[in-house]
Amino acid sequence: MSWLIPRSELTPDQERAITLGADEHRAVVGGPGSGKTQILLYRAQHLARKYGIGPESYRVFVYTNVLKDYIQSALPLLDLPSDNVLTFDHWCRLFYERHINRRLPWDARHKMPDFALMRSGVAQAIERGAVRLPMYDFVLVDEGQDLPDRVYRVLSRVSRHITVCLDRKQQIYDTGSAEEEVLTVLGLRRRNMSLIDAFRVCPYLVKLAAEFIPDPDEKQAFINQARQPQTEKQTPYLHLAGSADEELSELYRVVRERQMKNDRIAILYPQVRQVMGYARRLRDAGIEVEVPPRRWGKSEFPAHDFNSSRPKLMPYHSVKGLTFDTVIMPRLTRESFGRFLPERIERLLFVGITRATRWVFLQAPANNLLPSLAGAAEKLRAEGVMHVSGGGGAAAYEKADGDGRPGEDDLDFL
C-alpha cells in the first residue's frame, strides 16, 4: 500500500512542475492535495537522471521527521536513496559534527541538542568558508512556508539550484516565511507555477476546510480549486458525545468502519500525550495502531509504517505534507489545544482536514466544542454538506469511570 501516485497518472501541471529547467531557482505553489510532495520526489529522480547527478550531490529537505519517514516509504519505487531525504535540522547536525565540532551544543533545559545554536554555527561556518561551495547540484524543499528565510540564505549558498514547494495557508509555525520572502532570497520575481488543476481534495472537504481561511478572497479562491469529483457519498461527520463512554465507542466504530473500506487512516490529536493515551485505549479495544517513532528508547507501539494499513496516530504538527483517505480528529475542545491562540487552532484544523482526500470525522463532548468549529458546523449542516449528530452543545457530559478533575472531562488526561 503506497501513497505515491504513478507518474503516468499525474496531471499536466504536475508533469510540467517536475520537468522545469534547473537554470534558475524554482518556486511552486499549491494548496493541500495538489501533489507537491509527489512532484518533489519525481523531480529529484528527473534531475538526477537528466544531468547524471549522483546521490552525494543532491538533497530533499522536509520539515518534520514524520514527513521524512512518509517520503522514505516510497523511495524504493523511485530508486532514490533514503539518506537523501532529511530535515534541515538533521542536515545541520551532520554538518556541525563533520565541519565544526563533534560535540554538539546542548539544551540542558529540554535535554536535547540546541538546534538554534547549531543552525547559527552552520551559517557562520559557511560564511567563513569552512567548506567548498556549492556542496550540491540541487536541493528540493517541501513545506517551504514553515522554514525561516535564513534557511534559504544558507541553501542558496550550498546548492546550485533550489526548488521549493509551499503554501501559505498551511503555515502553522510563526517562524516560517511568507512567499514574498522566499522569492526574494531565491532571486525570483514571481512563483514559477501554481498547481490548481492538480487539486485532489473532494468538494465536501474543501467547503469544510475553507471555513478556517480568514481572508474572504483566499477562501473563495480555495473553494474554486475544487475540481475533484465528489465520489465519497458520506459528508464530513461531527459527533457530539454525551458521555466519555459514548465518545470512545463511536471512535472505535468509525475506525473499524473505515478499515473495512480499506482506507488509509490518520487519527490526529493536539498533544503528544493524547496520542499515546488514545493509542492505549484503541489497543485495548482490539484496534492495532501506529505512533510516531521514538528517537530514543523503545515504544510500546509499532512505529509508523506508511506501507501498512494500520491507523496512524500523530499530533497535528506531524501530519503536514501527508495524505490519507480518512482523517479522524477527536477531542476538539479548547482545553485539548492548551495555550494555542484561536488563529493557530484554526490553521491546525485547516491542515488536519485537508490531509484527507475522501472523508473526515470530527468529535468533541456535546458541551465543549471549539467555538470556531461550532459555527462552521451549523452553517455546513444547513447547506447539507456536513452531518452532525449528538447533544447539540448544551447537554451535560457524563464522565467515564476515572479520576477526572472538577469541571473537566477525564478523556483530556489520556
mmCIF file of all heavy atoms in Angstrom, residues 6 9 11 41 48 55 58 65-66 87 102 139 156 168 207 228 243 246 273-274 296 306 308 324 332 379 400 407:
data_model
loop_
_atom_site.group_PDB
_atom_site.id
_atom_site.type_symbol
_atom_site.label_atom_id
_atom_site.label_comp_id
_atom_site.label_asym_id
_atom_site.label_seq_id
_atom_site.Cartn_x
_atom_site.Cartn_y
_atom_site.Cartn_z
ATOM 1 N N PRO A 6 1.430 6.803 -9.480
ATOM 2 C CA PRO A 6 2.281 6.563 -10.655
ATOM 3 C C PRO A 6 2.420 7.832 -11.491
ATOM 4 O O PRO A 6 1.453 8.583 -11.669
ATOM 5 C CB PRO A 6 1.532 5.463 -11.415
ATOM 6 C CG PRO A 6 0.718 4.769 -10.370
ATOM 7 C CD PRO A 6 0.321 5.827 -9.386
ATOM 8 N N GLU A 9 -0.111 8.914 -14.048
ATOM 9 C CA GLU A 9 -1.424 9.395 -13.626
ATOM 10 C C GLU A 9 -1.408 10.833 -13.126
ATOM 11 O O GLU A 9 -2.439 11.364 -12.718
ATOM 12 C CB GLU A 9 -1.980 8.477 -12.530
ATOM 13 C CG GLU A 9 -2.214 7.043 -12.989
ATOM 14 C CD GLU A 9 -2.748 6.158 -11.880
ATOM 15 O OE1 GLU A 9 -3.192 6.706 -10.837
ATOM 16 O OE2 GLU A 9 -2.716 4.922 -12.043
ATOM 17 N N THR A 11 -1.188 14.981 -13.338
ATOM 18 C CA THR A 11 -1.814 15.946 -14.238
ATOM 19 C C THR A 11 -0.743 16.639 -15.088
ATOM 20 O O THR A 11 0.453 16.625 -14.757
ATOM 21 C CB THR A 11 -2.572 17.009 -13.439
ATOM 22 O OG1 THR A 11 -1.621 17.820 -12.725
ATOM 23 C CG2 THR A 11 -3.536 16.369 -12.454
ATOM 24 N N LEU A 41 9.510 14.455 -5.320
ATOM 25 C CA LEU A 41 10.178 13.157 -5.457
ATOM 26 C C LEU A 41 10.445 12.835 -6.926
ATOM 27 O O LEU A 41 11.556 12.408 -7.289
ATOM 28 C CB LEU A 41 9.333 12.069 -4.813
ATOM 29 C CG LEU A 41 9.237 12.090 -3.294
ATOM 30 C CD1 LEU A 41 8.548 10.839 -2.787
ATOM 31 C CD2 LEU A 41 10.604 12.223 -2.651
ATOM 32 N N ALA A 48 18.219 14.066 -11.325
ATOM 33 C CA ALA A 48 19.366 13.170 -11.152
ATOM 34 C C ALA A 48 19.649 12.404 -12.437
ATOM 35 O O ALA A 48 20.812 12.255 -12.844
ATOM 36 C CB ALA A 48 19.113 12.216 -9.991
ATOM 37 N N PRO A 55 24.004 10.523 -5.894
ATOM 38 C CA PRO A 55 23.298 10.742 -4.618
ATOM 39 C C PRO A 55 24.001 11.733 -3.693
ATOM 40 O O PRO A 55 23.328 12.406 -2.902
ATOM 41 C CB PRO A 55 23.251 9.345 -3.990
ATOM 42 C CG PRO A 55 23.395 8.405 -5.139
ATOM 43 C CD PRO A 55 24.276 9.094 -6.131
ATOM 44 N N TYR A 58 22.872 15.847 -4.168
ATOM 45 C CA TYR A 58 21.566 16.479 -4.019
ATOM 46 C C TYR A 58 20.926 16.044 -2.708
ATOM 47 O O TYR A 58 21.275 15.013 -2.136
ATOM 48 C CB TYR A 58 20.642 16.165 -5.208
ATOM 49 C CG TYR A 58 20.157 14.741 -5.304
ATOM 50 C CD1 TYR A 58 18.973 14.333 -4.666
ATOM 51 C CD2 TYR A 58 20.865 13.774 -6.024
ATOM 52 C CE1 TYR A 58 18.516 13.026 -4.757
ATOM 53 C CE2 TYR A 58 20.418 12.468 -6.117
ATOM 54 C CZ TYR A 58 19.240 12.100 -5.486
ATOM 55 O OH TYR A 58 18.808 10.803 -5.569
ATOM 56 N N ASN A 65 10.147 14.960 10.966
ATOM 57 C CA ASN A 65 10.630 13.583 10.849
ATOM 58 C C ASN A 65 9.537 12.641 10.367
ATOM 59 O O ASN A 65 9.816 11.652 9.685
ATOM 60 C CB ASN A 65 11.180 13.100 12.201
ATOM 61 C CG ASN A 65 12.554 13.669 12.492
ATOM 62 O OD1 ASN A 65 13.466 13.563 11.687
ATOM 63 N ND2 ASN A 65 12.697 14.300 13.648
ATOM 64 N N VAL A 66 8.277 12.938 10.718
ATOM 65 C CA VAL A 66 7.183 12.089 10.240
ATOM 66 C C VAL A 66 7.069 12.186 8.724
ATOM 67 O O VAL A 66 6.904 11.176 8.034
ATOM 68 C CB VAL A 66 5.853 12.469 10.918
ATOM 69 C CG1 VAL A 66 4.695 11.715 10.286
ATOM 70 C CG2 VAL A 66 5.910 12.161 12.413
ATOM 71 N N THR A 87 15.464 16.251 7.425
ATOM 72 C CA THR A 87 15.067 17.585 7.867
ATOM 73 C C THR A 87 16.282 18.513 7.810
ATOM 74 O O THR A 87 17.436 18.068 7.860
ATOM 75 C CB THR A 87 14.533 17.566 9.305
ATOM 76 O OG1 THR A 87 15.594 17.185 10.204
ATOM 77 C CG2 THR A 87 13.369 16.588 9.442
ATOM 78 N N ARG A 102 32.512 17.768 16.878
ATOM 79 C CA ARG A 102 31.733 16.556 17.092
ATOM 80 C C ARG A 102 30.884 16.653 18.357
ATOM 81 O O ARG A 102 29.914 15.903 18.511
ATOM 82 C CB ARG A 102 32.654 15.334 17.178
ATOM 83 C CG ARG A 102 33.343 14.989 15.865
ATOM 84 C CD ARG A 102 34.058 13.661 15.948
ATOM 85 N NE ARG A 102 33.131 12.565 16.205
ATOM 86 C CZ ARG A 102 32.415 11.952 15.266
ATOM 87 N NH1 ARG A 102 32.500 12.350 14.003
ATOM 88 N NH2 ARG A 102 31.622 10.950 15.570
ATOM 89 N N VAL A 139 18.937 21.155 -4.564
ATOM 90 C CA VAL A 139 18.257 20.923 -3.293
ATOM 91 C C VAL A 139 16.779 21.179 -3.522
ATOM 92 O O VAL A 139 16.396 22.183 -4.147
ATOM 93 C CB VAL A 139 18.794 21.861 -2.190
ATOM 94 C CG1 VAL A 139 17.792 21.991 -1.048
ATOM 95 C CG2 VAL A 139 20.122 21.363 -1.655
ATOM 96 N N SER A 156 20.889 28.680 -0.482
ATOM 97 C CA SER A 156 21.324 29.329 -1.726
ATOM 98 C C SER A 156 22.843 29.397 -1.838
ATOM 99 O O SER A 156 23.379 29.559 -2.942
ATOM 100 C CB SER A 156 20.726 30.732 -1.818
ATOM 101 O OG SER A 156 21.209 31.570 -0.777
ATOM 102 N N ARG A 168 1.084 29.138 1.704
ATOM 103 C CA ARG A 168 0.975 29.990 2.886
ATOM 104 C C ARG A 168 -0.178 29.579 3.785
ATOM 105 O O ARG A 168 -0.115 29.736 5.008
ATOM 106 C CB ARG A 168 0.819 31.450 2.452
ATOM 107 C CG ARG A 168 0.835 32.436 3.605
ATOM 108 C CD ARG A 168 0.878 33.852 3.079
ATOM 109 N NE ARG A 168 -0.380 34.228 2.460
ATOM 110 C CZ ARG A 168 -1.409 34.729 3.140
ATOM 111 N NH1 ARG A 168 -1.334 34.868 4.449
ATOM 112 N NH2 ARG A 168 -2.517 35.079 2.520
ATOM 113 N N LYS A 207 -15.121 22.615 1.254
ATOM 114 C CA LYS A 207 -16.031 23.554 1.900
ATOM 115 C C LYS A 207 -15.801 23.601 3.403
ATOM 116 O O LYS A 207 -15.863 24.671 4.025
ATOM 117 C CB LYS A 207 -17.481 23.165 1.596
ATOM 118 C CG LYS A 207 -17.919 23.523 0.185
ATOM 119 C CD LYS A 207 -19.439 23.452 0.058
ATOM 120 C CE LYS A 207 -19.883 23.991 -1.289
ATOM 121 N NZ LYS A 207 -21.357 24.017 -1.413
ATOM 122 N N GLN A 228 -12.099 18.061 -8.073
ATOM 123 C CA GLN A 228 -12.163 16.620 -7.893
ATOM 124 C C GLN A 228 -13.630 16.195 -7.781
ATOM 125 O O GLN A 228 -14.398 16.783 -7.016
ATOM 126 C CB GLN A 228 -11.408 16.215 -6.617
ATOM 127 C CG GLN A 228 -11.374 14.725 -6.347
ATOM 128 C CD GLN A 228 -10.292 14.028 -7.140
ATOM 129 O OE1 GLN A 228 -9.648 14.645 -7.967
ATOM 130 N NE2 GLN A 228 -10.103 12.748 -6.899
ATOM 131 N N SER A 243 -21.293 11.479 26.566
ATOM 132 C CA SER A 243 -20.528 10.893 27.661
ATOM 133 C C SER A 243 -19.176 10.430 27.128
ATOM 134 O O SER A 243 -18.987 10.274 25.919
ATOM 135 C CB SER A 243 -21.275 9.701 28.274
ATOM 136 O OG SER A 243 -21.303 8.615 27.357
ATOM 137 N N GLU A 246 -19.587 7.108 25.357
ATOM 138 C CA GLU A 246 -20.143 7.269 24.013
ATOM 139 C C GLU A 246 -19.073 7.789 23.045
ATOM 140 O O GLU A 246 -18.991 7.369 21.892
ATOM 141 C CB GLU A 246 -21.321 8.245 24.045
ATOM 142 C CG GLU A 246 -21.932 8.499 22.670
ATOM 143 C CD GLU A 246 -22.931 9.629 22.686
ATOM 144 O OE1 GLU A 246 -23.551 9.877 23.757
ATOM 145 O OE2 GLU A 246 -23.098 10.289 21.645
ATOM 146 N N ARG A 273 0.898 13.620 24.337
ATOM 147 C CA ARG A 273 0.405 12.738 25.410
ATOM 148 C C ARG A 273 -0.943 12.135 25.052
ATOM 149 O O ARG A 273 -1.263 11.008 25.450
ATOM 150 C CB ARG A 273 0.328 13.490 26.739
ATOM 151 C CG ARG A 273 -0.684 14.614 26.784
ATOM 152 C CD ARG A 273 -0.774 15.223 28.188
ATOM 153 N NE ARG A 273 -1.674 16.361 28.248
ATOM 154 C CZ ARG A 273 -2.994 16.272 28.337
ATOM 155 N NH1 ARG A 273 -3.559 15.083 28.387
ATOM 156 N NH2 ARG A 273 -3.748 17.357 28.384
ATOM 157 N N GLN A 274 -1.758 12.883 24.294
ATOM 158 C CA GLN A 274 -3.036 12.342 23.857
ATOM 159 C C GLN A 274 -2.832 11.221 22.853
ATOM 160 O O GLN A 274 -3.575 10.239 22.835
ATOM 161 C CB GLN A 274 -3.893 13.453 23.251
ATOM 162 C CG GLN A 274 -4.358 14.485 24.264
ATOM 163 C CD GLN A 274 -5.031 15.663 23.595
ATOM 164 O OE1 GLN A 274 -4.511 16.220 22.637
ATOM 165 N NE2 GLN A 274 -6.197 16.041 24.088
ATOM 166 N N TRP A 296 14.628 8.122 20.765
ATOM 167 C CA TRP A 296 15.446 7.478 21.792
ATOM 168 C C TRP A 296 14.585 6.460 22.526
ATOM 169 O O TRP A 296 13.438 6.730 22.861
ATOM 170 C CB TRP A 296 15.986 8.507 22.793
ATOM 171 C CG TRP A 296 16.885 9.508 22.159
ATOM 172 C CD1 TRP A 296 18.215 9.381 21.893
ATOM 173 C CD2 TRP A 296 16.514 10.809 21.689
ATOM 174 N NE1 TRP A 296 18.697 10.504 21.292
ATOM 175 C CE2 TRP A 296 17.688 11.403 21.149
ATOM 176 C CE3 TRP A 296 15.327 11.529 21.653
ATOM 177 C CZ2 TRP A 296 17.686 12.673 20.597
ATOM 178 C CZ3 TRP A 296 15.317 12.795 21.098
ATOM 179 C CH2 TRP A 296 16.480 13.351 20.582
ATOM 180 N N PHE A 306 4.324 3.532 6.586
ATOM 181 C CA PHE A 306 3.364 4.095 5.649
ATOM 182 C C PHE A 306 3.039 3.160 4.494
ATOM 183 O O PHE A 306 2.303 3.527 3.580
ATOM 184 C CB PHE A 306 3.849 5.457 5.162
ATOM 185 C CG PHE A 306 3.829 6.499 6.252
ATOM 186 C CD1 PHE A 306 4.997 6.856 6.904
ATOM 187 C CD2 PHE A 306 2.638 7.062 6.640
ATOM 188 C CE1 PHE A 306 4.979 7.795 7.924
ATOM 189 C CE2 PHE A 306 2.597 7.998 7.666
ATOM 190 C CZ PHE A 306 3.767 8.374 8.307
ATOM 191 N N SER A 308 1.826 0.154 5.540
ATOM 192 C CA SER A 308 0.897 -0.742 6.232
ATOM 193 C C SER A 308 -0.491 -0.108 6.273
ATOM 194 O O SER A 308 -0.650 1.099 6.050
ATOM 195 C CB SER A 308 1.375 -1.039 7.654
ATOM 196 O OG SER A 308 0.938 -0.032 8.550
ATOM 197 N N PHE A 324 -4.146 11.080 3.490
ATOM 198 C CA PHE A 324 -4.821 9.850 3.878
ATOM 199 C C PHE A 324 -6.215 9.851 3.252
ATOM 200 O O PHE A 324 -6.754 10.898 2.898
ATOM 201 C CB PHE A 324 -4.940 9.758 5.404
ATOM 202 C CG PHE A 324 -3.622 9.709 6.116
ATOM 203 C CD1 PHE A 324 -2.973 10.877 6.486
ATOM 204 C CD2 PHE A 324 -3.017 8.490 6.397
ATOM 205 C CE1 PHE A 324 -1.746 10.841 7.135
ATOM 206 C CE2 PHE A 324 -1.790 8.443 7.042
ATOM 207 C CZ PHE A 324 -1.155 9.616 7.412
ATOM 208 N N LEU A 332 -11.885 17.757 20.049
ATOM 209 C CA LEU A 332 -11.863 19.119 19.531
ATOM 210 C C LEU A 332 -12.442 20.081 20.568
ATOM 211 O O LEU A 332 -13.476 20.717 20.381
ATOM 212 C CB LEU A 332 -12.622 19.187 18.210
ATOM 213 C CG LEU A 332 -11.959 18.380 17.086
ATOM 214 C CD1 LEU A 332 -12.816 18.384 15.839
ATOM 215 C CD2 LEU A 332 -10.568 18.922 16.775
ATOM 216 N N LYS A 379 -23.413 26.068 9.976
ATOM 217 C CA LYS A 379 -23.572 26.586 8.615
ATOM 218 C C LYS A 379 -23.573 25.461 7.594
ATOM 219 O O LYS A 379 -24.436 25.393 6.714
ATOM 220 C CB LYS A 379 -22.448 27.575 8.315
ATOM 221 C CG LYS A 379 -22.434 28.067 6.876
ATOM 222 C CD LYS A 379 -21.209 28.918 6.609
ATOM 223 C CE LYS A 379 -21.113 29.299 5.134
ATOM 224 N NZ LYS A 379 -19.878 30.052 4.837
ATOM 225 N N ALA A 400 -16.502 9.025 32.064
ATOM 226 C CA ALA A 400 -16.273 7.593 32.251
ATOM 227 C C ALA A 400 -15.711 7.385 33.648
ATOM 228 O O ALA A 400 -15.334 8.332 34.343
ATOM 229 C CB ALA A 400 -15.300 7.079 31.197
ATOM 230 N N GLY A 407 -14.852 19.999 36.624
ATOM 231 C CA GLY A 407 -15.024 20.895 35.504
ATOM 232 C C GLY A 407 -14.368 20.431 34.224
ATOM 233 O O GLY A 407 -14.420 21.112 33.219
#
